[in-house]
């Protein structure tokens, strides 16, 4: 009788709208990919279910629901080549550990991986649920020619073939990642605090968003060590972007900037926005707001071990010429360096084997004692709680250059 009654009922979108909506919702939830209108609550829920992956929206560039329900994670993307220097792998591990330490397993981590011989590292990536995309670039000869034509005084990356390949790998990102937006991060970054799509505001970039570099008050997109990318835009323009790069092989300079950074900022200039500085905080900056509200710390130029060497009084000529301007800083104090060194220490010290490799690569040529100083420094600093930490107390007094420390941190 009940079946007969139901059979006689008139089911339509007009009379049973909510029922059809429920059916649509659960049907869409079982489909791998989704395209919708991000202003729609229905679509916004479908996007949230997919954790930022395999979902796109064809209307405005934001998800308004994210302002009240901050559940929209953004995938993070790294690149790596086995031809890079050992320090790069250690920094990358620390960065990945910072993602897992800050977000847990809620954030998807992708890596475009060039090479197939370092099975131990590949197993390490699997352990931390990193999604590995095998990357065999078709443009290696072009980039090597560009590197050889580059001036090391403009960028230290010109000095090492593997490191230079690594910095260009991101150009193939749209060939591997199925998402509307991703946040690309360099290996020398530390994720300090959580964030999501809602943190990028309602007017999200249609192309890319990048932040300041050496001068934090110069609010112009310049540094692409952390970049918010609109993946469909990159996919649409991938071929012509490669042609544009190829036209600069003889001189890797773009509108006053160099290499991949210059290429992105010149080619995508019309669809580039400024990324809030809290997503790309440099240790040598001085604005308290950037450090108090920091989301990502970027050890641009000077790496954590470089600062430790500065504390220990290493001479300026220990570093590449391109870094000398950062070392001098024209009398400015680096009062927040220890705070972000602490951010790094918390995560590099979570993997004892990686910490040892990092210190051996950074200090091995100077003897085992300095390797031990390095390990103890980052281990002890990482064990401290809060932001008000002291770097000086964690260095053996026989290795500290007190004058250097006072010059860096005194007001």
């Amino acid at each position: 009788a009940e079946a007969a009654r139901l059979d006689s009922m008139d089911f339509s979108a007009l009379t049973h709208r909510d029922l059809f909506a429920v059916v649509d919702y659960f049907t869409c939830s079982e489909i791998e990919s989704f395209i919708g209108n991000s202003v729609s609550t229905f679509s916004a829920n479908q996007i949230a279910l997919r954790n930022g992956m395999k979902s796109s929206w064809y209307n405005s560039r934001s998800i308004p629901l994210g302002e009240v329900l901050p559940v929209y994670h953004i995938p993070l993307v790294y690149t790596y080549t086995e031809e890079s220097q050992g320090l790069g792998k250690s920094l990358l591990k620390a960065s990945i550990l910072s993602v897992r330490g800050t977000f847990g397993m809620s954030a998807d981590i992708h890596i475009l991986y060039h090479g197939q011989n370092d099975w131990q590292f590949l197993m390490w990536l699997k352990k931390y649920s990193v999604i590995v995309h095998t990357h065999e670039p078709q443009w290696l000869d072009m980039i090597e020619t560009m590197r050889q034509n580059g001036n090391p005084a403009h960028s230290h990356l010109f000095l090492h073939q593997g490191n230079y390949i690594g910095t260009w790998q991101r150009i193939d990102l749209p060939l591997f990642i199925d998402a509307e937006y991703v946040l690309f991060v360099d290996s020398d970054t530390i994720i300090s605090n959580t964030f999501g799509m809602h943190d990028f505001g309602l007017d999200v970039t249609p192309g890319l968003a990048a932040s300041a570099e050496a001068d934090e008050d110069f609010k112009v997109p310049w540094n692409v060590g952390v970049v918010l990318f609109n993946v469909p835009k990159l996919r649409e323009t991938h071929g012509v972007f490669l042609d544009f790069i190829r036209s600069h092989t003889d001189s890797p300079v773009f509108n006053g900037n160099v290499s991949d950074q210059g290429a992105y900022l010149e080619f995508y200039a019309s669809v580039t926005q400024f990324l809030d500085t809290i997503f790309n905080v440099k240790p040598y900056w001085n604005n308290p707001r950037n450090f108090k509200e920091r989301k990502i710390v970027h050890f641009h130029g000077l790496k954590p071990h470089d600062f430790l060497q500065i504390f220990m009084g290493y001479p300026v000529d220990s570093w590449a010429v391109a870094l000398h301007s950062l070392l001098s800083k024209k009398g400015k104090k680096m009062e927040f360096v220890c705070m972000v060194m602490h951010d790094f220490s918390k995560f590099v010290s979570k993997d004892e084997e990686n910490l040892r490799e990092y210190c051996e690569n950074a200090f091995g040529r100077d003897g085992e004692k300095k390797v031990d100083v390095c390990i103890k420094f980052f281990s002890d600093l990482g064990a401290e709680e809060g932001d008000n930490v002291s770097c000086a107390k964690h260095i053996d007094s026989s290795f500290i250059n007190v004058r250097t420390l006072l010059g860096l941190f005194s007001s």
Side-chain angles (χ1 to χ4, degrees):
E2 182 65 20
R5 188 182 71 83
L6 289 173
D7 189 52
S8 66
M9 292 178 66
D10 180 24
F11 286 93
S12 71
L14 290 175
T15 60
H16 293 79
R17 181 178 183 276
D18 291 341
L19 178 60
F20 278 84
V22 170
V23 173
D24 283 350
Y25 180 83
F26 286 102
T27 301
C28 284
S29 300
E30 295 300 314
I31 298 173
E32 184 179 17
S33 299
F34 177 80
I35 300 175
N37 185 321
S38 66
V39 175
S40 157
T41 302
F42 176 93
S43 294
N45 274 281
Q46 291 295 328
I47 295 166
L49 284 174
R50 290 165 174 77
N51 206 31
M53 295 298 299
K54 298 184 181 299
S55 54
S56 295
W57 43 102
Y58 55 78
N59 52 309
S60 62
R61 299 184 298 272
S62 62
I63 307 175
L65 189 61
E67 295 295 307
V68 290
L69 291 176
V71 297
Y72 299 93
H73 301 293
I74 183 165
L76 288 98
V77 181
Y78 295 91
T79 60
Y80 178 74
T81 172
E82 290 181 358
E83 296 180 26
S84 63
Q85 292 175 303
L87 279 168
K89 181 167 71 172
S90 293
L91 289 168
L92 175 58
K93 284 184 174 182
S95 186
I96 290 171
L97 288 172
S98 75
V99 178
R100 288 290 172 244
T102 302
F103 284 100
M105 300 305 295
S106 66
D108 285 339
I109 306 175
H110 296 256
I111 185 167
L112 273 60
Y113 191 100
H114 175 235
Q116 54 186 357
N117 298 320
D118 193 349
W119 62 268
Q120 288 183 318
F121 185 33
L122 288 166
M123 291 298 294
W124 187 96
L125 293 170
K126 182 178 180 180
K127 175 182 177 181
Y128 290 99
S129 300
V130 178
I131 302 165
V132 177
H133 303 274
T134 302
H135 185 207
E136 297 296 337
Q138 302 302 304
W139 36 255
L140 291 177
D141 290 344
M142 172 182 72
I143 293 303
E144 174 57 14
T145 300
M146 185 178 286
R147 185 187 74 85
Q148 292 178 5
N149 291 329
N151 184 350
H154 294 158
S155 173
H156 62 284
L157 291 170
F158 289 123
L159 295 171
H160 192 277
Q161 182 179 11
N163 291 351
Y164 199 63
I165 291 172
T167 197
W168 282 99
Q169 281 183 266
R170 75 188 79 185
I171 62 179
D172 286 342
L173 182 155
L175 305 182
F176 295 93
I177 310 298
D178 183 6
E180 186 76 6
Y181 286 95
V182 298
L183 193 69
F184 173 86
V185 284
D186 271 348
S187 61
D188 54 357
T189 56
I190 291 293
I191 313 302
S192 300
N193 287 290
T194 59
F195 53 84
M197 277 299 300
H198 60 284
D199 289 299
F200 299 104
L202 295 178
D203 183 27
V204 189
T205 179
L208 65 91
S211 196
E213 191 164 280
D215 184 354
E216 61 194 307
D217 297 321
F218 186 53
K219 306 296 186 184
V220 173
W222 198 258
N223 181 267
V224 297
V226 178
V227 193
L228 181 66
F229 280 128
N230 178 271
V231 181
K233 185 65 176 179
L234 297 187
R235 191 177 298 120
E236 173 192 344
T237 56
H238 182 260
V240 288
F241 185 41
L242 279 175
D243 290 340
F244 171 75
I245 295 168
R246 192 173 291 110
S247 70
H248 287 73
T249 303
D250 292 338
S251 179
V253 178
F254 306 80
N255 268 358
N257 215 320
V258 296
S259 301
D260 62 313
Q261 181 160 294
Y264 273 108
L265 295 176
E266 182 175 336
F267 184 82
Y268 291 103
S270 64
V271 288
T272 295
Q273 294 182 1
F274 186 74
L275 181 65
D276 194 319
T277 49
I278 62 174
F279 287 98
N280 196 340
V281 177
K282 315 302 189 300
Y284 48 79
W285 285 358
N286 288 282
N287 186 335
R289 180 256 177 184
N290 286 326
F291 292 89
K292 182 179 179 180
E293 300 179 23
R294 68 194 184 282
K295 300 292 187 182
I296 301 175
V297 173
H298 180 196
F299 286 91
H300 168 254
L302 298 172
K303 313 308 177 197
H305 67 275
D306 290 315
F307 285 107
L308 180 54
Q309 289 172 345
I310 292 171
F311 301 161
M312 297 165 70
Y314 276 54
V316 171
D317 59 12
S318 302
W319 290 273
V321 174
L323 299 176
H324 288 184
S325 61
L326 295 179
L327 290 163
S328 63
K329 285 297 287 180
K330 299 179 181 179
K332 288 186 177 180
K333 308 300 179 183
M334 301 185 193
E335 56 184 298
F336 296 105
V337 164
C338 200
M339 179 188 295
V340 297
M341 287 281 278
H342 177 240
D343 286 356
F344 173 79
S345 299
K346 284 190 300 183
F347 297 108
V348 75
S349 61
K350 286 187 179 298
D351 185 332
E352 293 182 4
E353 181 179 348
N354 184 48
L355 175 57
R356 171 161 286 280
E357 288 180 1
Y358 180 66
C359 289
E360 286 177 347
N361 277 308
F363 288 92
R365 67 184 183 280
D366 299 325
E368 191 63 29
K369 285 187 177 180
K370 289 192 176 179
V371 171
D372 291 340
V373 168
C374 173
I375 294 171
K376 186 176 188 306
F377 172 79
F378 288 115
S379 296
D380 291 351
L381 185 60
E384 288 210 30
E385 298 291 335
D387 284 342
N388 296 320
V389 293
S390 168
C391 287
K393 76 176 186 179
H394 294 302
I395 307 177
D396 186 310
S397 59
S398 62
F399 290 96
I400 292 180
N401 186 307
V402 177
R403 183 177 178 183
T404 299
L405 283 173
L406 289 175
L408 281 171
F409 303 119
S410 299
S411 57

